[in-house]
Amino acid sequence: MRIARFSVDDEPRYGVVETDDPEGLLGTVSVLDSDPLYRPVQFTGEKLQLADVRLLAPVIPRSKVVCVGRNYAAHAAELGNEVPAEPMIFLKPNTSVIGPRDGIVYPEQTNNLHFEGELAIVIGRICRDLPKERVNEVIFGYTVANDVTARDLQKSDGQWARAKGYDTFCPLGPWISTELDVSDLRVTTEVNGEPKQDGRTSQFIFGIPEVLAYITSFTTLLPGDVVLTGTPAGVGPMLPGDEVSISIEGIGTLTNKVIVRD
């Protein structure tokens, strides 16, 4: 099932998407009566054309976006870093989240803004000290993420809060896919149609059970929280005017354009 958050006016609504188009430009959305994270799926009977709605970020995390750094060996190597001995965790604020087709703002404080295509986990139940064998019980579904990073600020600051945390630095979308086997999905990134990243989730250093068990060993995850699982090799710069498309098989394609704030 593909769960979308969308609008046709000013009010966010929820629906189930039926489409063969990975970006959701063609197809239909069957409207739900409420947010399915908090209530069972209930259809209103209304069906809309995807061409007539605006897809929004499929979830706004209640409290946080938790990210795993250097979770692909090749990505760690391309930046001259060692593979971590345990999951490397950092946070993005929920104010960094934007949706499909929203603009990624290029901050004036950086000269080296990078894309990082990633699989994202959407948490469906409150959890703490989660055993590895029970992780599937707390996962609502999966979506596509871009862990936008000001690479020069990441290096100069010595910690990653600013480099990873600007507004618009966490595009999510186009929807949430539920009941998906994510053990070996292809993750690709293109900039202006040119291939940049091509990896698979089977290349994770730390798999999803290890990651969620580790995160919940020190912090509580809430329904709607999002976990970014790491990026494959091939990260690189984005410039104003560039269009970045991240695709994950079984989910879809997340596209955003880099802009300069007026």
Side-chain angles (χ1 to χ4, degrees), residues 21 41 47-48 54 58 66 89-90 107 121 125 163 194 201 207:
D21 178 4
V41 169
K47 183 173 284 192
L48 303 171
R54 177 191 173 200
V66 187
I89 305 299
F90 61 94
I121 306 165
R125 291 175 53 186
E194 181 181 349
T201 56

Side-chain angles (χ1 to χ4, degrees), residues 91 145 245:
L91 302 178
S245 295

Side-chain angles (χ1 to χ4, degrees), residues 5-36:
R5 181 170 167 266
F6 68 94
S7 67
V8 291
D9 41 43
D10 293 331
E11 282 296 317
R13 303 169 76 185
Y14 298 86
V16 174
V17 171
E18 297 178 14
T19 182
D20 294 323
D21 178 4
E23 293 198 63
L25 302 177
L26 300 172
T28 62
V29 55
S30 297
V31 181
L32 301 176
D33 68 350
S34 60
D35 185 346

Side-chain angles (χ1 to χ4, degrees), residues 5 23-24 30 32 61 94 102 109 130 142-143 167 175 177 184 188 201 205 211 221 249 254 262:
R5 181 170 167 266
E23 293 198 63
S30 297
L32 301 176
N94 57 9
D102 289 339
Q109 296 90 347
L130 184 66
Y142 303 88
T143 191
D167 291 355
W175 42 65
S177 290
D184 186 30
T188 62
T201 56
I205 297 168
V211 163
L221 291 175
E249 61 179 324
L254 170 67
D262 294 333

